[in-house]
Amino acid sequence: MTTKRPVYLDFNATTPVDKRVLATMLPYFSEDFGNAASTTHAFGQQASAAVSHARQQIASLINVSANEIIFTSGATESNNIALLGVAERYAHKGDHIITCVTEHKAVLDSAKRLEKLGKRVTYLPVDSFGRVDLDQLRQAITPQTILISIMAANNEIGTVAPLREIGLLAREHDIIFHTDAAQYAGHMPLDVQALNIDLLSISAHKLYGPKGIGALYVRRENPRVDVAPVIYGGGHEQGIRSGTLNVPAIVGFGVAAELCQAELEDEAERLRGYCQKIFRELSRNIEGVELNGHPTERLPHNLNISITGTRSSDFIALLGDVAISAGSACNTANPNPSHVLCALGFGSERALSSLRISVGRTTTLEEVEYAIGRIIEASQVLQLVPA
Ligand SMILES: Cc1ncc(COP(=O)(O)O)c(C=O)c1O
């Protein structure tokens, strides 16, 4: 059986809404349309109960309490609240935050905004695999440090951070630890309690839920963490994020989280196998294929490679019916090499030839084999290998 074309291999950019998720969401657009804050009548009570259930499903995915989940419009907003909200709330304690050069723009631009507001930010470098050095992190800590924000998994190269070690270091120094887990949550086991994480950003559309909904986990005990709001209004979400709750999206997010939790282990193994197969076969058939990111400490569904002497844009244009990307979806309009690839220290040639291939729930072996064939063909067109 031939699967339909084009083949989608860009699951790090976004995932399709799972049909089971969509089915659960649908009634909340029309019949069950209540405002979750209107708890004086049955319509509102029903919506509120649906939101509570979703909150519990999401809390369970990361092993926290439901009251520690704050709904937002996505990981961008969660990251903004984490950085700006901590800087404001803990201004009396200090004015220094530590992050890293390969973070998503939602963290980097929030950090830049804080610098404009007079705060001090340390941007840690990464090694050639994309990991921060724990000794450098320790050395960067000052008595004024109030926040460490290091992403759980990089959206371009898939490298995962040593979360446990960073969590311990932050706890030892009584510093709040935020992690952007937009690419990690739902794809790798995540126990926030065991890892000493205080704030964590999640996005539903990266885990087969709808776009425009996400969450910020905010630790409420041992120790209690507080963040100032970025959006003001009716005081929803414990005053941290005002605005009428998007009930259908929240319901979908909840189911998506539950499904990921149930299927995570088997999926991770299947998808890791696909990525390994792609890398193996491309390395065997194309000269100059290099892996970007960590060989083992990486997301199971992400593969990032550079092919010596090529340009990602040429490759992607040639591929046509195989949808992959050069890097982050947020930077596709930017002709400059990715800040993440550049941070690995290999130079702009390698950065400009990077290809991000990310597989997901709907990916089949047939699609993987088709994509491998197309990439090899494209490399031949570009005369990289003798025909
Ligand atoms: C690591 C990371 N952080 C944040 C975001 C932004 O998430 P959202 O699209 O939910 O705002 C993304 C999505 O591209 C991401 O990959």
Side-chain angles (χ1 to χ4, degrees), residues 283-335:
S283 306
R284 205 177 283 155
N285 290 285
I286 306 173
E287 247 174 73
V289 173
E290 285 166 304
L291 177 74
N292 295 318
H294 201 283
T296 53
E297 298 299 309
R298 59 183 305 111
L299 288 173
H301 60 302
N302 165 289
L303 175 67
N304 192 307
I305 55 168
S306 285
I307 306 179
T308 313
T310 65
R311 280 279 182 278
S312 344
S313 49
D314 298 342
F315 236 105
I316 290 165
L318 262 180
L319 282 176
D321 64 355
V322 176
I324 64 169
S325 66
S328 147
C330 316
N331 281 326
T332 41
N334 187 346

Side-chain angles (χ1 to χ4, degrees), residues 211-272:
K211 295 171 183 56
I213 188 75
L216 178 66
Y217 154 74
V218 182
R219 178 178 288 282
R220 286 321 212 181
E221 52 180 25
N222 302 320
R224 183 184 169 86
V225 171
D226 208 5
V227 286
V230 169
I231 292 175
Y232 292 86
H236 307 75
E237 298 299 275
Q238 302 175 46
I240 294 174
R241 207 288 191 165
S242 287
T244 301
L245 291 179
N246 184 347
V247 179
I250 289 171
V251 166
F253 186 9
V255 181
E258 188 173 278
L259 291 172
C260 278
Q261 190 172 6
E263 298 171 7
L264 191 148
E265 240 174 84
D266 291 348
E267 265 301 87
E269 201 180 314
R270 185 176 74 94
L271 301 181
R272 189 175 294 113

Side-chain angles (χ1 to χ4, degrees), residues 12 73-76 79 104 106 151 153 155 180 182-183 203 205-206 330:
N12 286 139
S73 62
T76 298
N79 288 343
H104 190 272
M151 72 202 311
N155 47 308
D180 174 354
Q183 297 285 350
S203 175
H205 77 95
K206 306 287 188 188
C330 316

